Amino acid sequence: MTQSGPAYTTPPGSAKPPRDDARALVEHYGLKRAGARAPLADYTRQLWRRRYFIAEFSRATNASTYSRSMLGQAWQVLTPLLNAAVYYLIFGLLLGTDRGVHNYIGFLVTGVFTFQFIQGSVNGGARSLQTNRSLARTLRFPRAVFPISATAIALEQLLMSLVVLVPIVLLTGEPLRWQWITVIPVLALQILFCIGLSFILARIGSKVPDISQMLPFALRVWFYASGIMFSIPSFTKHHAEIGQIMNANPATIYVDLYRNAFLASGPSATPKQWLLALVWGVVVLVAGYVFFWKAEEEYGRD
Amino acid sequence: MTDPVQDPKPTVIADDVHLTYKISGKYAKRGGAMALARTVTRTSTPGLREVHAVRGVSFTAWEGEAIGLIGPNGSGKSTLLRGIAGLLTPSAGAIYTLGEPALLGVNAALIATMSGERNITLGCLAMGMTPEEIDERFDDICEFSGIGDFISLPMNAYSSGMGARLRFAIASSKAHDILLIDEALATGDAEFRRRSEERIKELRKEAGTVFLVSHTLGVVRETCDRAIWLEDGQIVMDGATDEVLDAYEEKHDPKRAARYRQQQRAAGSQAKPKGAKPKAAKPKAAKAAG
């Protein structure tokens, strides 16, 4: 509106309406505020339209992560294997936390691999908006794409780990049973839970980047509290309440359901565990999605 | 004077817009212990400054218009584009748009470690195309970008000109309601510039509005029928391209302006002094009246 000098005035043909006029035009033609957050239903529809983008973006990111290493994507299999070997060495052989477990290797490896899916989603989600900043500043699409693809990347890792897991479980003497099919519903519920977590951490991580420095500690505590390398019932015999709290922990529930599917020697899953797995999955996903969507307008701005 | 079959619609309305962004400078005192001490004593982070880049800008853009944003460096042109694209929220005032704006910036990296081909697929998917639509247009995009065999190399192997061409090819492969171009044509060679000017004209025919930020006034003269001159985040002048650009040159490059006037005079004494393209101003005058 302001002119810097009297020599430069706005010519009459410039179609610049006064303020009231602008309001009237906006209403008459139904213009929308630039960058406004879409209502939840529309947002979900836009997100659904980007499903191919999520798939392609996750695949591409995954490939480029390993593009500089000599062994390439073989690390997706090697990393979980090495991890399991280290935990076996320390907890199975040195510390002897294997008491009360029949097939300790199978027990440990199932726990480590499936917990890593949660870990990957949490870490990836927290960083997703930071690492994809330049893309987010260029194109407009629902930002929920980023946390979802963080989970998708972690999921690909999990699927690779399962390829390693199956022969290990069979080699340690577990029979092939019908219960193996229950891996599919467990995986589905765990995916819901992980996407929800990824949403929550993505929003927090976009506001407080320091969270990615804190997460390794939080995740380690969670790892030890989820009975990944020891059997919770045998270790909390004298502290029933602690055992109960640890058993209600969603990570414990998902890990136990996987173990129930793969290991014949372990305790079988209760209906209560299935119900809890469902509730945790749905509640965390819905709460996380809404929580993430609420701040949609703030992502990628500075 | 004209009787349009259909009323032109406003596509972008900026209503007294102020845009600010924060930048964090270098920390005055480095070191983990110092930083921790600052956190504990709650001293504000040093070096975080606010830049008030756009101060009270109002205009209305109509469908079918191509608008050039001109002004010296730091006058708020790129910030304004980001505001229109919805990537920055105004601190005061509001920007309204009809349809989805798409921003095409010169630094807009897709994913640098990935090949051009993969970036085409990703870019198109991100713009909401389906895989079938991409299959249809993939070859067109490759050809239009004209980067040949480089298409299979990662984008960080590209020259800045090639990157800009590929990005422009991707962004312009889809009809956008509002296309915002930020210096993207500056790095291309003459041949590419000519083709992109044609492409911009096509996009405008599809009832889109194009905003173009450029320091090359020639490009603005060629492609835009309206120009907005920004300085210090405020509009100095808004009108027909030739009028605005002449005034702009008069202020920032008087010698060149004089040369240009002479050329015009030499070119034809029957043409009006400012009449390089008298047609350009017409459609807007009609819109202003209607």
Side-chain angles (χ1 to χ4, degrees):
Chain A
M1 285 250 167
T2 327
Q3 275 85 38
S4 75
Y8 309 115
T9 46
T10 308
S14 67
K16 188 160 86 174
R19 289 199 68 159
D20 294 342
D21 241 28
R23 293 273 152 74
L25 278 174
V26 167
E27 291 209 353
H28 184 253
Y29 290 100
L31 275 72
K32 294 204 186 78
R33 200 163 53 74
R37 177 186 62 172
L40 197 55
D42 287 343
Y43 187 78
T44 310
R45 218 167 294 133
Q46 287 174 16
L47 190 60
W48 176 244
R49 217 177 302 146
R50 301 297 195 287
R51 62 193 180 280
Y52 304 106
F53 178 53
I54 297 173
E56 178 66 20
F57 182 70
S58 321
R59 223 174 300 142
T61 312
N62 218 341
S64 78
T65 311
Y66 296 98
S67 66
R68 286 187 160 269
S69 58
M70 263 158 60
L71 292 176
Q73 285 184 283
W75 280 111
Q76 285 195 298
V77 179
L78 286 175
T79 312
L81 264 182
L82 290 173
N83 258 321
V86 169
Y87 286 121
Y88 177 69
L89 202 70
I90 296 175
F91 297 105
L93 298 180
L94 292 176
L95 295 178
T97 48
D98 55 349
R99 67 185 138 111
V101 183
H102 287 288
N103 174 2
Y104 187 67
I105 296 183
F107 176 89
L108 179 72
V109 171
T110 315
V112 170
F113 287 3
T114 53
F115 187 80
Q116 266 174 351
F117 179 34
I118 296 177
Q119 214 170 357
S121 305
V122 166
N123 279 326
R127 267 184 274 118
S128 62
L129 289 163
Q130 296 285 325
T131 44
N132 299 308
R133 239 181 138 101
S134 71
L135 190 58
R137 279 178 175 190
T138 312
L139 294 167
R140 259 185 45 86
F141 49 82
R143 299 303 179 227
V145 162
F146 294 129
I148 294 178
S149 61
T151 308
I153 290 165
L155 177 65
E156 193 184 322
Q157 176 70 62
L158 174 68
L159 294 178
M160 297 302 280
S161 303
L162 288 181
V163 172
V164 180
L165 179 69
V166 169
I168 292 181
V169 169
L170 288 175
L171 281 174
T172 53
E174 297 293 338
L176 196 63
R177 308 176 299 154
W178 68 265
Q179 278 94 332
W180 283 45
I181 295 172
T182 59
V183 167
I184 293 164
V186 187
L187 183 59
L189 294 175
Q190 199 192 10
I191 290 173
L192 301 185
F193 178 72
C194 285
I195 294 177
L197 269 189
S198 188
F199 277 138
I200 294 169
L201 281 146
R203 173 164 173 186
I204 298 173
S206 77
K207 282 273 154 255
V208 191
D210 308 46
I211 198 88
S212 47
Q213 263 72 39
M214 283 300 299
L215 277 178
F217 303 106
L219 282 167
R220 210 171 304 162
V221 171
W222 196 3
F223 180 83
Y224 291 126
S226 307
I228 306 298
M229 66 283 166
F230 59 88
S231 149
I232 293 178
S234 350
F235 269 75
T236 54
K237 253 180 235 153
H238 310 293
H239 310 276
E241 320 81 58
I242 296 177
Q244 261 168 8
I245 294 170
M246 284 170 86
N247 275 326
N249 162 5
T252 312
I253 293 167
Y254 291 116
V255 167
D256 274 355
L257 287 173
Y258 278 111
R259 280 176 182 155
N260 165 62
F262 283 123
L263 312 172
S265 46
S268 53
T270 59
K272 190 186 158 204
Q273 276 182 311
W274 279 105
L275 184 69
L276 278 174
L278 177 73
V279 170
W280 271 113
V282 173
V283 168
V284 170
L285 176 68
V286 172
Y289 185 54
V290 173
F291 178 69
F292 183 86
W293 165 78
K294 288 239 177 208
E296 171 77 7
E297 287 183 31
E298 291 157 31
Y299 305 133
R301 325 259 157 125
D302 32 11
Chain B
M1 101 190 158
T2 41
D3 193 6
V5 191
Q6 215 182 339
D7 269 357
K9 290 180 189 152
T11 48
V12 179
I13 297 178
D15 183 12
D16 194 23
V17 172
H18 290 258
L19 291 165
T20 53
Y21 58 89
K22 289 192 189 80
I23 47 164
S24 46
K26 273 196 181 127
Y27 280 22
K29 286 173 187 163
R30 293 260 190 92
M34 284 306 299
L36 190 62
R38 261 199 312 273
T39 315
V40 174
T41 55
R42 301 201 168 214
T43 336
S44 67
T45 326
L48 197 68
R49 287 192 306 167
E50 213 168 72
V51 177
H52 198 159
V54 173
R55 311 155 183 257
V57 163
S58 302
F59 64 85
T60 302
W62 304 83
E63 58 181 23
E65 271 188 324
I67 302 175
L69 289 176
I70 54 167
N73 286 331
S75 55
K77 306 181 295 288
S78 300
T79 313
L80 183 58
L81 278 198
R82 288 184 56 201
I84 298 171
L87 299 167
L88 262 180
T89 318
S91 53
I95 301 175
Y96 302 93
T97 58
L98 191 68
E100 256 317 284
L103 175 66
L104 176 60
V106 70
N107 294 317
L110 292 168
I111 298 162
T113 50
M114 289 179 205
S115 70
E117 286 162 340
R118 200 141 206 184
N119 271 301
I120 293 178
T121 315
L122 277 172
C124 291
L125 285 172
M127 292 193 300
M129 288 193 201
T130 61
E132 294 83 50
E133 283 174 302
I134 297 171
D135 281 344
E136 260 172 49
R137 291 173 209 189
F138 192 87
D139 294 332
D140 274 352
I141 297 172
C142 289
E143 199 191 327
F144 186 82
S145 72
I147 56 174
D149 293 340
F150 271 88
I151 203 80
S152 57
L153 291 179
M155 274 189 81
N156 49 20
Y158 291 15
S159 74
S160 56
M162 292 196 310
R165 284 155 70 151
L166 185 61
R167 281 189 288 270
F168 181 78
I170 294 171
S172 63
S173 66
K174 188 183 175 226
H176 296 285
D177 306 315
I178 302 156
L179 183 61
L180 311 162
I181 303 170
D182 188 359
E183 285 285 357
L185 309 180
T187 41
D189 50 29
E191 155 71 5
F192 181 71
R193 210 175 292 171
R194 188 185 56 73
R195 277 192 293 160
S196 23
E197 279 160 15
E198 270 167 29
R199 182 64 72 94
I200 291 175
K201 278 178 195 144
E202 275 170 39
L203 289 171
R204 280 171 60 195
K205 259 182 240 146
E206 293 160 35
T209 305
V210 178
F211 281 83
L212 178 73
V213 165
S214 185
H215 288 285
T216 325
L217 296 187
V219 174
V220 178
R221 273 191 211 274
E222 280 300 313
T223 41
C224 302
D225 51 7
R226 174 176 168 191
I228 295 176
W229 170 6
L230 282 173
E231 207 140 318
D232 282 331
Q234 291 173 335
I235 293 184
V236 175
M237 194 170 165
D238 173 359
T241 305
D242 287 308
E243 286 170 45
V244 177
L245 262 60
D246 288 349
Y248 182 77
E249 278 194 330
E250 200 69 63
K251 184 171 177 217
H252 288 277
D253 196 354
K255 268 186 208 157
R256 196 175 153 170
R259 222 173 26 242
Y260 183 72
R261 265 201 306 277
Q262 245 170 10
Q263 272 173 15
Q264 292 295 314
R265 232 174 278 139
S269 46
Q270 75 271 42
K272 281 178 242 165
K274 274 173 194 163
K277 275 194 300 172
K279 246 191 280 173
K282 240 185 215 165
K284 198 154 40 337
K287 273 161 210 161

